Amino acid sequence: QVQLVESGGGLVQAGGSLRLSCAASGRTTSRYAMAWFRQAPGEERDFVAGVRSTGSIVYYAESVKGRFTIFRDNAQNTVFLQMNSLKPEDTAVYYCAAHTYYSGTYYGNYPHWGQGTQVTVAS
C-alpha cells in the first residue's frame, strides 16, 4: 500500500509562488513514477506534471510549462511542485498521484492518490 500526503497549498496573489510537497510512504515509493493533477470546481481532474522514478525525465501540461517545476528527492520519498508566476486560473485542488510506471496524463491510470491541497490565486 502507498500513502501520499500533500502539503504546501494556500492563498497567494497572482504572480506569486508556492511549493507543494507530496510525502510518500509504504512500498518502495522511490521506484514509483509520480504526478501532480489539479481539479477546479465543476471541472475534470487535469494533469499538471509528472516525473519518472529516477527524476531525470519530466512532463508538463502546456498551460504550466515554463512556470512550474516538478522534482523529487528519493532519499526523502518526496516529490515537489514549484509553482511560479501563478495565475488565477491555477486555482484548484492539487493532487499527488503515484504508479509503478509513468502512466501519462489521464487521471484514471493512477491507482494511488493523496487527499489534495487547495491552491487559491487571487487576482
Side-chain angles (χ1 to χ4, degrees), residues 71-99:
F71 59 100
R72 63 192 299 162
D73 182 340
N74 283 341
Q76 297 185 42
N77 287 329
T78 302
V79 64
F80 302 92
L81 185 68
Q82 177 66 43
M83 305 186 296
N84 299 328
S85 301
L86 282 161
K87 305 174 181 180
E89 51 263 45
D90 295 318
T91 295
V93 177
Y94 284 69
Y95 296 92
C96 177
H99 201 354

Side-chain angles (χ1 to χ4, degrees), residues 14-122:
S17 299
L18 281 175
R19 177 177 290 187
L20 305 183
S21 300
C22 174
S25 61
R27 295 191 173 184
T28 312
T29 50
S30 61
R31 299 180 182 175
Y32 279 55
M34 306 291 288
W36 288 95
F37 287 75
R38 66 187 182 188
Q39 189 167 19
E43 302 289 333
E44 284 202 346
R45 192 167 295 190
D46 292 330
F47 175 81
V48 176
V51 59
R52 291 188 182 257
S53 59
T54 62
S56 60
I57 300 176
V58 296
Y59 308 85
Y60 295 99
E62 285 296 325
S63 59
V64 306
K65 276 185 181 178
R67 300 189 298 123
F68 291 11
T69 302
I70 187 171
F71 59 100
R72 63 192 299 162
D73 182 340
N74 283 341
Q76 297 185 42
N77 287 329
T78 302
V79 64
F80 302 92
L81 185 68
Q82 177 66 43
M83 305 186 296
N84 299 328
S85 301
L86 282 161
K87 305 174 181 180
E89 51 263 45
D90 295 318
T91 295
V93 177
Y94 284 69
Y95 296 92
C96 177
H99 201 354
T100 52
Y101 52 90
Y102 176 67
S103 299
T105 62
Y106 177 55
Y107 67 88
N109 292 338
Y110 290 81
H112 306 292
W113 290 89
Q115 293 302 305
T117 185
Q118 175 71 46
V119 171
T120 303
V121 184

